[in-house]
């Protein structure tokens, strides 16, 4: 992981969970306010494990959904997930129930993506692999698009800023989420190629997972 210095970066840790931690179970478990949710698998991620604050394993939220790529939380504390292989968004409540989502069949503007974030207005912004960053309502209605090309790693920052990058480039594009216009760009130092990013308000940083 690489810490970038623009507003100082703190990024999302999507930690891969090895399958030997526990046998596969069909029983979904929920999570509490002090629990950790970790997704992964030996090869392509296909499950989310729930751990308590001491990292004791409590069970799986789900298993067998191969292609799980990204997750985030909405303002209601629900988990919003994206699956690359299925090209699908799923939403789970803290009790472990599947309560929403959409896919590319019902929402054709949802193209293969690398990241998903929740905007302050509750809409989802998806960082696509070839079509910029696209915004959808929780019901799957397409709202707007920021930029074009590879935008598989995104982060929302204060001041209506969107950072949009990709693992195959050192250039980070900056957009105004109100106007939709690109307001700037910069070159990442230390040869950082972001695959996941997340803004942390308490430290005013973005943590970046570097694929190099």
């Amino acid at each position: 992981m690489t810490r970038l210095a623009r507003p100082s970066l703190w990024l999302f840790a999507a930690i891969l969970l090895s399958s030997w931690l526990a046998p596969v179970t069909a029983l979904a478990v929920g999570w509490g306010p002090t629990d950790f949710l970790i997704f992964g698998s030996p090869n392509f991620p296909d499950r989310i494990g729930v751990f308590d604050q001491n990292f004791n394993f409590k069970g799986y939220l789900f298993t067998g959904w191969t292609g799980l790529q990204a997750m985030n939380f909405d303002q209601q504390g629900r988990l919003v997930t994206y699956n690359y292989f299925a090209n699908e968004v799923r939403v789970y409540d803290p009790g472990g129930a599947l309560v929403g989502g959409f896919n590319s069949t019902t929402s054709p503007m949802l193209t293969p993506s690398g990241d998903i974030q929740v905007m302050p207005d509750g809409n989802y912004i998806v960082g696509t692999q070839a079509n910029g960053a696209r915004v959808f309502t929780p019901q799957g209605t397409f709202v707007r698009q920021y930029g074009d090309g590879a935008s598989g790693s995104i982060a929302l920052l204060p001041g209506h800023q969107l950072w949009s990058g990709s693992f195959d480039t050192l250039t980070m594009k900056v957009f105004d989420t109100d106007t939709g216009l690109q307001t700037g760009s910069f070159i990442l130092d230390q040869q950082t190629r972001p695959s996941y990013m997340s803004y942390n308000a308490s430290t005013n940083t973005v943590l970046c997972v570097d694929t190099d």
Side-chain angles (χ1 to χ4, degrees):
M1 293 186 183
T2 302
R3 180 165 294 215
L4 302 181
R6 280 215 169 195
S8 311
L9 284 150
W10 201 113
L11 181 143
F12 174 74
I15 308 170
L16 293 183
L17 170 65
S18 297
S19 61
W20 53 261
L21 284 174
V24 173
T25 175
L27 299 177
V29 300
W31 67 88
T34 61
D35 290 337
F36 293 90
L37 301 182
I38 299 175
F39 74 79
S41 175
N43 298 304
F44 295 106
D46 72 344
R47 66 198 66 189
I48 292 180
V50 182
F51 296 78
D52 68 18
Q53 59 187 336
N54 297 312
F55 281 98
N56 296 309
F57 179 68
K58 298 175 65 174
Y60 289 113
L61 175 62
F62 60 74
T63 63
W65 197 38
T66 303
L68 180 64
Q69 178 74 20
M71 62 183 185
N72 227 302
F73 290 96
D74 67 12
Q75 289 81 353
Q76 288 75 48
R78 300 177 302 182
L79 184 69
V80 182
T81 64
Y82 173 76
N83 185 301
Y84 182 86
F85 290 166
N87 202 12
E88 180 180 1
V89 175
R90 290 184 181 177
V91 183
Y92 294 85
D93 69 15
L98 178 63
V99 295
F102 55 92
N103 56 44
S104 57
T105 300
T106 58
S107 302
M109 293 295 284
L110 180 64
T111 58
S113 302
D115 202 359
I116 190 166
Q117 301 277 338
V118 180
M119 304 185 76
D121 61 5
N123 286 334
Y124 306 152
I125 181 167
V126 178
T128 76
Q129 299 288 11
N131 304 109
R134 291 182 167 178
V135 180
F136 297 85
T137 69
Q139 295 74 36
T141 301
F142 175 71
V143 178
R144 72 187 310 173
Q145 178 174 321
Y146 300 104
D148 54 20
S151 302
S153 184
I154 54 177
L156 292 165
L157 284 77
H160 310 287
Q161 289 189 73
L162 168 68
W163 285 11
S164 177
S166 174
F167 68 89
D168 59 357
T169 179
L170 299 178
T171 301
M172 185 69 68
K173 298 177 182 179
V174 182
F175 294 90
D176 185 306
T177 56
D178 282 348
T179 66
L181 299 177
Q182 182 174 339
T183 58
S185 65
F186 58 92
I187 302 298
L188 300 173
D189 58 5
Q190 302 179 40
Q191 295 186 333
T192 302
R193 298 181 184 272
S195 63
Y196 295 100
M197 299 191 297
S198 182
Y199 175 75
N200 185 298
S202 64
T203 58
N204 193 34
T205 59
V206 176
L207 183 64
C208 179
V209 176
D210 187 352
T211 56
D212 280 348

